[in-house]
């Protein structure tokens, strides 16, 4: 086995939470509002149970083939060459996902905080950090996420409570005035962006200790993370309104700038930025880990650490090339990323589960039934 470390269900739950929240904590309100307008908060709440159902589908694929990662599952269900082709498709997604998350960090830091720092310096520091985390293995990643997850939740709770005095329910009106197509797109975004991007969890699942409530805990964690994002969308709508939420790509960061309690508790936007950086860091690191372990499994290597350096260098180069600017990401990448996530997070896992069920039924029917002699 490539990864010798073992983690528990609680640690897998924290990694799942980081995958669900991840970079969505900052950009999710703007993205979903661009589709569903003033009904974005309704779509976000509807997406919580539907996202849990999608998480159950992804975990079903993993539990049907215990001890196997996504590459092995694809080859087992589809055969060697079709499974290898599908695995390469997923590995490409993991690499592009890591590069995009890294680029998001670079764009945010250089546009909001370190405005005179070259973006390549920020990207280099971030890539070194995620590469260093992957080098220390899955156990270290999981334990660190277990340590930092309470901080992420605490920062979000502080943001929510401190903005309650500025809430105005009139900004949600008119309710249900959006078309059916826009609401459907908003619901799809509420499912596919937070939960559909947890597909790298299948590269980690074989290294998780067996637990009776493992599947239940992961599904609940995914729902909890999606609920937190829905709360952020609702607060953003209540404070900023749908128009400002839609046209501020970093809506959560703008919200934190509006906090002012007693004239002394204010300007805490850097705390919100730290919370977002922590969750995005773990999401990028898990994606990089899935890419590296998947490549090692694809080529039957005995260990994966030899791939860390070339992979991090590849991420650094791709992060600088994946988008020339933040405007390009918003206008060009985001509208098509939904289709990509839908394909890789819903259609293909559903197809694999369906094929596996059909094959298992055919196998059970083809086996001779025991006869009883009277």
């Amino acid at each position: 086995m490539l990864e010798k470390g073992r983690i528990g269900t609680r640690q897998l739950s924290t990694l799942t939470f980081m995958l669900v929240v991840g970079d969505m904590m900052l950009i999710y309100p703007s993205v979903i509002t661009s589709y569903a307008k003033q009904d974005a908060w309704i779509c976000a709440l509807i997406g919580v149970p539907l996202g849990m159902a999608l998480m159950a589908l992804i975990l079903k694929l993993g539990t049907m083939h215990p001890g196997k990662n996504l590459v092995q599952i694809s080859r087992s269900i589809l055969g060697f060459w079709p499974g290898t082709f599908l695995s390469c498709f997923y590995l490409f997604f993991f690499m592009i996902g890591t590069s995009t998350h890294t680029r998001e960090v670079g764009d945010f830091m250089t546009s909001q905080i370190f405005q005179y720092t070259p973006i390549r310096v920020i990207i280099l520091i971030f890539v070194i950090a995620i590469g260093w985390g992957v080098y220390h293995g899955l156990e270290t990643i999981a334990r660190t996420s277990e340590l930092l997850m309470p901080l992420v939740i605490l920062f979000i709770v502080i943001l929510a409570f401190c903005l309650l005095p500025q809430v105005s329910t009139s900004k949600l009106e008119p309710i249900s005035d959006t078309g059916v197509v826009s609401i459907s797109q908003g619901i799809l975004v509420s499912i596919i962006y937070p939960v559909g991007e947890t597909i790298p969890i299948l590269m980690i699942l074989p290294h998780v200790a067996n637990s009776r409530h493992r599947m239940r805990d992961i599904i609940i964690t995914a729902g909890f993370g999606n609920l937190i994002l829905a709360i952020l969308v609702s607060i953003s709508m209540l404070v900023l309104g749908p128009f400002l939420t839609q046209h501020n790509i970093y809506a959560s960061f703008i919200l934190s700038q509006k906090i002012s309690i007693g004239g002394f508790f204010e300007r805490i936007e850097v705390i919100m930025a730290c919370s977002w950086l922590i969750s995005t860091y773990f999401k990028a690191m898990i994606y990089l880990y899935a890419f590296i372990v998947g490549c090692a499994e694809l080529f039957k290597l005995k260990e994966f650490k030899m791939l860390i350096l070339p992979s991090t260098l590849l991420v650094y180069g791709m992060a600088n090339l994946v988008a020339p600017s933040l405007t390009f990401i918003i206008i060009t990448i985001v509208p098509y990323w939904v289709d990509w996530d839908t394909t890789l997070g819903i259609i293909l896992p559903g197809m694999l589960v369906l094929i596996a069920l059909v094959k298992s039924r055919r196998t059970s029917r083809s086996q001779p039934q025991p006869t009883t002699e009277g």
Side-chain angles (χ1 to χ4, degrees):
M1 186 173 288
L2 292 169
E3 174 62 62
K4 298 179 181 179
R6 303 285 290 181
I7 63 175
T9 301
R10 185 174 61 183
Q11 294 170 332
L12 180 62
S13 298
T14 59
L15 292 177
T16 304
F17 177 82
M18 293 297 187
L19 278 172
V20 172
V21 177
D23 60 327
M24 291 291 106
M25 189 189 303
L26 206 63
I27 66 174
Y28 183 68
S30 174
V31 172
I32 191 172
T33 308
S34 65
Y35 286 95
K37 304 300 185 291
Q38 67 267 21
D39 293 328
W41 64 282
I42 300 176
C43 296
L45 291 174
I46 294 175
V48 175
L50 296 179
M52 295 173 69
L54 177 58
M55 190 75 244
L57 173 66
I58 295 173
L59 292 177
K60 176 68 175 178
L61 181 60
T63 54
M64 290 176 69
H65 299 81
K68 294 183 178 181
N69 56 37
L70 183 58
V71 176
Q72 295 169 325
I73 291 172
S74 301
R75 285 175 167 175
S76 176
I77 295 176
L78 301 178
F80 184 82
W81 288 113
T84 300
F85 176 77
L86 182 62
S87 301
C88 291
F89 194 39
Y90 271 109
L91 293 179
F92 179 72
F93 171 69
F94 295 155
M95 170 53 61
I96 295 297
T98 309
S99 305
T100 305
H101 300 147
T102 304
R103 180 62 190 227
E104 287 175 347
V105 171
D107 284 327
F108 171 75
M109 297 297 288
T110 53
S111 63
Q112 303 295 327
I113 300 177
F114 301 122
Q115 298 180 1
Y116 298 101
T117 303
I119 188 173
R120 294 186 179 184
V121 175
I122 302 295
I123 290 175
L124 179 62
I125 295 173
F126 190 77
V127 166
I128 292 173
I130 62 176
W132 185 252
V134 173
Y135 177 79
H136 283 83
L138 182 60
E139 284 188 5
T140 303
I141 297 173
R143 290 172 182 173
T144 309
S145 68
E146 197 175 13
L147 179 66
L148 295 177
M149 176 182 166
L151 290 178
V152 176
I153 298 176
L154 177 63
F155 294 157
I156 297 174
V157 171
I158 292 174
L159 176 69
F161 275 98
C162 292
L163 287 171
L164 288 179
Q166 303 183 40
V167 164
S168 175
T169 55
S170 62
K171 293 182 178 179
L172 296 180
E173 299 175 354
I175 299 175
S176 301
D177 193 43
T178 313
V180 177
V181 175
S182 298
I183 293 178
S184 302
Q185 290 175 336
I187 293 174
L188 179 61
V189 168
S190 69
I191 302 169
I192 198 61
Y193 269 149
V195 183
E197 295 187 353
T198 61
I199 197 70
I201 209 75
L202 292 177
M203 299 300 298
I204 301 175
L205 205 58
H207 311 294
V208 181
N210 290 326
S211 175
R212 186 171 59 180
H213 303 299
R214 184 177 67 179
M215 189 169 182
R216 181 199 66 183
D217 293 345
I218 304 305
I219 293 173
I220 293 175
T221 302
F224 176 66
N226 207 353
L227 179 62
I228 286 181
L229 294 177
I231 292 173
L232 284 176
V233 173
S234 302
I235 293 176
S236 181
M237 298 281 290
L238 289 167
V239 176
L240 298 177
F243 181 81
L244 291 178
T245 301
Q246 177 183 349
H247 292 88
N248 283 296
I249 184 64
Y250 304 126
S252 300
F253 187 75
I254 302 300
L255 285 174
S256 60
Q257 291 178 335
K258 290 183 171 294
I259 294 176
S260 179
I261 298 178
F264 69 95
F265 189 72
E266 54 188 8
R267 305 296 297 176
I268 65 167
E269 59 268 17
V270 176
I271 295 179
M272 186 64 195
C274 290
S275 177
W276 177 75
L277 285 173
I278 290 171
S279 58
T280 306
Y281 168 72
F282 279 99
K283 187 171 184 177
M285 187 161 48
I286 295 169
Y287 266 72
L288 181 61
Y289 174 85
F291 172 76
I292 292 174
V293 173
C295 287
E297 179 65 41
L298 196 68
F299 296 105
K300 299 296 182 181
L301 302 179
K302 295 182 179 179
E303 60 178 17
F304 67 91
K305 289 189 175 181
M306 66 178 70
L307 300 177
I308 294 177
L309 180 58
S311 297
T312 51
L313 293 176
L314 181 59
V315 170
Y316 175 74
M318 289 294 295
N320 286 285
L321 295 175
V322 70
S325 64
L326 178 62
T327 305
F328 182 86
I329 294 178
I330 298 171
I331 297 176
T332 306
I333 295 181
V334 170
Y336 296 101
W337 198 274
V338 178
D339 301 330
W340 201 11
D341 276 353
T342 303
T343 303
L344 293 168
I346 298 180
I347 297 176
L348 292 181
M351 180 195 70
L352 290 175
V353 170
L354 184 62
I355 294 175
L357 290 174
V358 171
K359 290 179 65 176
S360 63
R361 287 187 178 182
R362 287 184 177 180
T363 302
S364 61
R365 289 179 180 178
S366 62
Q367 291 179 350
Q369 299 294 328
T371 57
T372 57
E373 296 181 0

